[in-house]
Amino acid sequence: MPRVALREKAARIRDVLDRLYPAAPIPLEHEDPFQLLVAVVLSAQCTDARVNLVTPALFAAAPNAAALAALPYARSLRLIRSCGLAPTKARNLKALAQQLVAQHGGAVPKTFAELEALPGVGHKTASVVLSQGFGIPAFPVDTHIHRLATRWGLTSGRNVATTERDLKALFPPESWGALHLQIIYFGREHCPALRHDASRCVICSWAGVPRRTPPRRGPPNKQRTRSTP
Ligand code: SF4
């Protein structure tokens, strides 16, 4: 698709999302960037709703980096046990808090490089913290956003890194944070797990690109089949 047409399509998608979600709330409850960082780490392989059930007790026991660094591993494991991968997360959170105290005076840093150097923090987590915690333009791309951006033809869909680059090129930086949330909410509310009628969808009906179906297997090639002597 020509670049201009692609930009127009992106702008139209943004209009639909703005109309549907004029003020998409941040789903993870937190009071400051530290608590947001902890909640995002906990949200890997876990629902936001589950994280929001777990964090009140965790933040009561450890409201800041110094307190979390001092919290015994066994106690934090007990507090987050219902989240997936709890032992790994408890270990990472303790090490992360210790690193925040040792290297950043207990504060959450505001750069990708410093955030991604923290235990358990990848590029997507760093993007969420920068965007939602500090209002710094970043476009967190998870598998859901990657799938929808591909479905809407906004990216070649090779991997999440390519999708992030393509989306950043199509949308203005001031819209990235809201779009991340809007696409997540859209996917949760509109995209069912099973096949459905895309012609009724407010976006896919005009923006969707056909799914690539794998080539059908034909009958075995007789010429290649060795005949029995
Ligand atoms: S057609 Fe289906 S997959 Fe595509 S955006 Fe709409 S609801 Fe989601």
Side-chain angles (χ1 to χ4, degrees), residues 2 8 20 39 56 65 83 87-89 113 126 132 168 178 182 200:
E8 282 171 5
L20 289 173
C83 283
T88 304
K89 288 176 183 172
Q132 297 173 5
K168 282 180 168 176
Q182 289 167 326
R200 300 162 72 96

Side-chain angles (χ1 to χ4, degrees), residues 84-103:
L85 310 174
T88 304
K89 288 176 183 172
R91 259 193 307 278
N92 280 339
L93 285 177
K94 188 167 180 67
L96 173 156
Q98 287 169 336
Q99 197 165 317
L100 288 180
V101 171
Q103 298 179 8

Side-chain angles (χ1 to χ4, degrees), residues 29-191:
E29 286 161 21
H30 64 282
E31 287 182 0
D32 55 37
F34 166 75
Q35 293 189 356
L36 176 64
L37 172 60
V38 170
V40 181
V41 168
L42 287 174
S43 70
Q45 310 272 320
C46 184
T47 64
D48 293 342
R50 166 63 53 192
V51 172
N52 287 337
L53 286 176
V54 159
T55 46
L58 179 64
F59 295 152
N64 53 48
L68 185 57
L71 196 69
Y73 165 80
R75 175 120 188 259
S76 80
L77 179 59
R78 255 198 321 277
L79 289 168
I80 68 167
R81 188 180 294 282
S82 60
C83 283
L85 310 174
T88 304
K89 288 176 183 172
R91 259 193 307 278
N92 280 339
L93 285 177
K94 188 167 180 67
L96 173 156
Q98 287 169 336
Q99 197 165 317
L100 288 180
V101 171
Q103 298 179 8
H104 304 284
V108 176
K110 296 182 180 176
T111 68
F112 272 111
E114 290 170 308
L115 281 166
E116 289 177 25
L118 296 169
V121 178
H123 186 69
K124 198 211 85 180
T125 297
S127 297
V128 172
V129 172
L130 289 176
S131 170
Q132 297 173 5
F134 297 115
I136 295 170
F139 207 138
V141 173
D142 62 10
T143 50
H144 304 290
I145 291 179
H146 172 66
R147 185 174 55 80
L148 277 177
T150 307
R151 188 91 171 85
W152 296 338
L154 301 179
T155 177
S156 63
R158 273 198 296 274
N159 51 52
V160 289
T162 312
T163 300
E164 179 183 339
R165 188 201 62 201
D166 291 343
L167 292 178
K168 282 180 168 176
L170 280 174
F171 295 102
E174 66 273 15
S175 71
W176 295 348
L179 275 168
H180 159 75
L181 291 169
Q182 289 167 326
I183 297 172
I184 285 177
Y185 280 110
F186 186 89
R188 284 181 188 172
E189 287 179 22
H190 291 81
C191 304

